[in-house]
């Protein structure tokens, strides 16, 4: 049977067989330590017989190579172990087939074909033992025949095992964990053994004609491959509660739980209602555990939805069961496998409960030992993979965070807390602005060496609300107040009250509702935006009723999955440093009004077709010339939005009904600012007759009234042939603080490309730019061409 090989080859093959037997011993003792917890000692004994029998083949080859390399005297021992290996070879495979077939029956069973194979195997075993004890010469014709019969016998005994395995899988009566164990045994033990042994036996003598001593190399290769298969199989199958040795299925961590869980916590932090949790949980289970979103359900007790009520009713009778109290979660695969071996009544009742719920996993969520909600993973959620203990732990960690949030949402109105936090931040910001204005007022008093400005001494008695006295001081002494005074210079009772409301709105972060004439709206909005120190102003000019949620899409954005274009809304773009002005807000659709009202109430919004919550500090300014209270009563305007907007509002009194004294005061204020710090002002001052003309022909807007006064002063200067720049501040015609600063630059603004680009984007008109800067239109045209703002052909 054996032939000589060169020394080096024999030495390498010896080491390979020694390595294989060491690995097999390691696997044996690894299983032996786990077998202490096994609840099936009989099957463990059969498995031990399989592993222990595998040692003899390697031992026989080790003695063979020791004899060839070192000790010729070991020839007899080599022959003995070789025949003993053939005898044990039959025991090994007979035990393996019986072990696999008995897994489903929980204990070793001898079927008819097992008895026949055992009887035939005993004949082979006794034959080799007889040859050992009687020292029959090796490689006799009879022995070669028996070896060939043994090889054929090994292949035959696997046929019923393979058929039994296929029948078990088709019947689907065994626990899924057991089916997975059987699959691994067949793929990594039975089939590799059959394949390797078929090659090693070389029935057609093909390899022996190519490679001298081929049986030696094939034996070593076979031993290495089968040892690796045994190691891999043991590693996989032990993690699957093999022979019920462990309490749970083990597994590797594939989901980066620590890092990715932070994203989930961020989403949970934005949740304001219980219903919003369901989508977050489904998405988390999909990412973490590869469970389809529709296969995960969150059911909350006392939540008045048909699904939650129905499932809560089904769960209620089982809440006091021992299996519900003792287990933090119920897993079908684990329970089926445990019941298969242990057959406890508690496990049976738990399985009945999971069958009723059509669930693979049931996770209760507790509050003070009372179940308040539960997560259900539907049956067949992950048909091709088992859940591991690592995944159970991750589910429980997530559930603990979820439980705390559900309890908070149930016992306290989280949306109310968020709204209160938003109001506190706004109030803190408002008080901080007030304090800064107090400081600025004190500095102004000290610089002018007076306690109270003279103009305010005269107007203090006309305040509607004496508590606003400090804001009257702010108007006179602070930068913000002076800007408002420059826009609206009157000091009468109604005008003063409007300016105070405007200053309060400027100092606040709250949404502002303006009710002004058309021409006065944008200058007032730009003033508020400027005082708020915001960088970006977005204008939504509504001229007709909203259709197809176009403004909602523009404000809130949309889930990127549903849009090929820009999905980010203005609220997100304007966060931290932006202002959004919505003109004619009454033209918004009711659905958009409700979404906007929710944002103003909480500071949180949701993109269209999305469940993810986002926050924004964008400043909202709205205008309307309608009676919004009346629109609320007839149901065409959101009462919630009206409630949010009316908190900070400013309505300009009509110039048509303003008292003559107030209008005269307003005229004097405009004249003062238009001619401020100029000489010979008395030469162009309006006469009583001209002032009377203004009173009798009143415009609707402040801007038009200011333009009339400005035009009258310009015309008067022309008639008297007075240089306008000596008596008139031409920059005062600018409609906003930014425009005023640009106008003050005059012709010098033409040299600055950034300023010219800003003016062109705003006006798109060379004549208006020339009028603002008090220069010729040709100069503006030349600079626009130089800065590539217009084509060369543009006149």
């Amino acid at each position: 049977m054996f032939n000589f090989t060169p020394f080096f080859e024999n030495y390498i093959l010896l080491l390979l067989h020694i390595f294989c037997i060491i690995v097999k011993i390691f696997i044996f003792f690894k299983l032996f330590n786990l077998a202490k917890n096994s609840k099936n000692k009989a099957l463990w004994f059969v498995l031990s017989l399989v592993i222990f029998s595998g040692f003899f083949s390697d031992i026989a080859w080790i003695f063979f190579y020791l004899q060839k390399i070192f000790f010729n005297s070991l020839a007899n021992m080599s022959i003995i172990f070789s025949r003993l290996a053939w005898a044990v070879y039959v025991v090994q495979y007979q035990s393996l087939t019986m072990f696999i077939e008995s897994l489903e029956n929980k204990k070793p069973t001898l079927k008819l074909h097992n008895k026949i194979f055992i009887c035939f195997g005993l004949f082979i075993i006794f034959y080799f033992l007889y040859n050992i004890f009687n020292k029959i010469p090796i490689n006799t014709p009879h022995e070669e025949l028996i070896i060939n019969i043994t090889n054929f016998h090994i292949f035959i005994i696997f046929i019923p095992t393979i058929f039994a395995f296929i029948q078990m899988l088709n019947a689907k009566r065994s626990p899924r964990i057991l089916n997975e164990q059987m699959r691994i045994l067949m793929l990594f033990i039975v089939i590799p053994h059959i394949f390797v042994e078929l090659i090693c036996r070389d029935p057609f003598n093909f390899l022996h004609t190519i490679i001298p001593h081929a049986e030696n190399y094939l034996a070593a290769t076979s031993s290495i491959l089968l040892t690796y298969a045994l190691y891999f199989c043991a590693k996989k199958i032990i993690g699957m509660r093999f022979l019920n040795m462990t309490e749970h299925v083990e597994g590797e961590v594939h989901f980066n739980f620590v890092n990715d869980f932070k994203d989930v916590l961020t989403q949970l932090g934005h949740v304001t209602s219980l219903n919003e949790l369901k989508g977050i949980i489904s998405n988390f289970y999909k990412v973490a555990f590869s469970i389809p979103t529709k296969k995960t359900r969150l059911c909350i007790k006392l939540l008045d939805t048909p699904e939650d009520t129905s499932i809560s009713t089904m769960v209620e009778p089982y809440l006091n069961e021992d299996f519900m109290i003792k287990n933090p979660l119920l897993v079908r695969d684990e329970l089926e496998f445990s019941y298969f071996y242990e057959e406890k009544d508690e496990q049976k009742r738990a399985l009945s409960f999971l069958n009723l719920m059509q669930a693979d996993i049931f996770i209760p969520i507790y509050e003070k030992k009372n179940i308040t909600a539960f997560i259900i993973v539907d049956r067949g959620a992950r048909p091709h993979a088992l859940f591991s203990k690592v995944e159970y732990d991750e589910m429980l960690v997530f559930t603990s965070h979820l439980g705390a949030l559900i309890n908070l949402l149930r016992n306290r109105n989280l949306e109310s807390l968020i709204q209160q936090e938003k109001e506190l931040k706004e109030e803190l910001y408002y008080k901080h602005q007030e304090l800064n204005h107090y400081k600025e007022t004190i500095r102004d008093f000290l610089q002018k060496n007076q306690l109270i400005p003279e103009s305010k001494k005269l107007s203090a008695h006309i305040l509607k609300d004496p508590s606003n006295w400090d804001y009257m001081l702010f108007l006179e002494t602070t930068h913000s107040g002076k800007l408002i005074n420059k826009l609206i210079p009157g000091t009468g009772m109604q005008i003063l009250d409007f300016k105070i409301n405007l200053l309060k709105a400027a100092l606040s972060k709250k949404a502002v509702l303006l009710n002004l004439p058309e021409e006065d709206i944008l200058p007032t909005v730009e003033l508020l935006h400027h005082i708020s120190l915001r960088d970006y102003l977005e204008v939504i000019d509504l001229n007709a009723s909203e259709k197809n949620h176009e403004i909602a899409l523009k404000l809130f954005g949309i889930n990127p999955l549903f849009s090929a274009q820009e999905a980010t809304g203005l609220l997100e773009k304007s966060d931290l440093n932006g202002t959004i002005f919505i003109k004619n807000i009454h033209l918004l659709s009711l659905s958009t009004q409700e979404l906007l009202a929710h944002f103003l109430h909480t500071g949180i919004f949701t993109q269209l077709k999305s469940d993810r919550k986002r926050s924004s500090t964008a400043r909202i300014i709205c205008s309307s010339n309608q009676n919004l209270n009346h629109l609320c009563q007839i149901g065409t305007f959101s009462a919630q939005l009206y409630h949010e907007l009316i908190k900070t509002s400013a309505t300009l009194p009509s110039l048509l009904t303003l008292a003559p004294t107030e209008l005269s005061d307003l005229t004097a204020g405009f004249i003062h600012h238009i001619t401020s710090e100029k000489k010979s002002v008395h030469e162009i001052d309006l006469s009583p007759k001209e002032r009377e003309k203004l009173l009798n022909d009143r415009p609707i807007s402040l801007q038009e009234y200011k333009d009339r006064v400005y035009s009258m002063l310009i015309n008067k200067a022309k008639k008297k042939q007075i240089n306008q720049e000596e008596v008139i501040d031409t920059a005062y015609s600018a409609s906003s603080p930014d425009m005023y600063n640009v106008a003050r630059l005059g012709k010098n603004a033409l040299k600055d490309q950034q300023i010219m680009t800003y003016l062109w984007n705003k006006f798109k008109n060379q004549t208006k730019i020339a009028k603002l800067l008090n220069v010729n239109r040709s100069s503006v045209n030349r600079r626009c061409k130089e800065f590539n703002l217009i084509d060369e052909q543009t006149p």
Side-chain angles (χ1 to χ4, degrees), residues 364-398:
I365 300 173
Y366 290 91
E367 178 192 9
K368 297 178 181 179
K369 299 183 179 180
N370 295 318
I371 295 179
T372 58
F374 30 83
I375 295 175
I376 297 175
V377 177
D378 290 340
R379 192 163 189 176
R382 204 167 74 174
H384 304 298
L386 299 171
F387 293 99
S388 68
K389 186 178 184 302
V390 172
E391 291 175 313
Y392 304 153
D393 293 339
E394 292 172 351
M395 290 179 185
L396 292 175
V397 170
F398 176 71

Side-chain angles (χ1 to χ4, degrees), residues 438-449:
Y438 276 123
K439 293 178 181 178
E440 192 174 350
T441 299
I442 293 171
R443 283 197 302 268
D444 186 77
F445 288 167
L446 294 174
Q447 290 171 0
K448 293 182 178 179
N449 196 25

Side-chain angles (χ1 to χ4, degrees), residues 700-718:
I700 297 177
S701 70
L702 280 172
Q703 184 65 36
E704 186 180 355
Y705 194 77
K706 181 177 74 170
D707 290 342
R708 286 188 185 182
V709 174
Y710 185 82
S711 297
M712 292 175 73
L713 294 174
I714 291 288
N715 292 332
K716 203 162 186 179
K718 288 180 179 179

Side-chain angles (χ1 to χ4, degrees), residues 18 124 199 208 331 363-364 450 603 752:
I18 293 174
I124 297 173
I199 293 177
H208 286 75
V331 183
I363 309 175
Q450 61 181 39
D752 192 307

Side-chain angles (χ1 to χ4, degrees), residues 19 33 141 173 182 249 320-321 327 330 333 337 374 410 541 650 669 678 695 698 734-735:
F19 171 77
N33 290 332
R173 58 178 179 268
M182 291 282 288
V249 174
N320 295 323
E321 290 276 359
N327 298 292
L330 302 176
D333 293 337
F337 191 75
F374 30 83
R410 287 191 58 188
D541 192 349
K678 299 294 181 179
L695 289 175
R698 304 183 184 190
S735 60

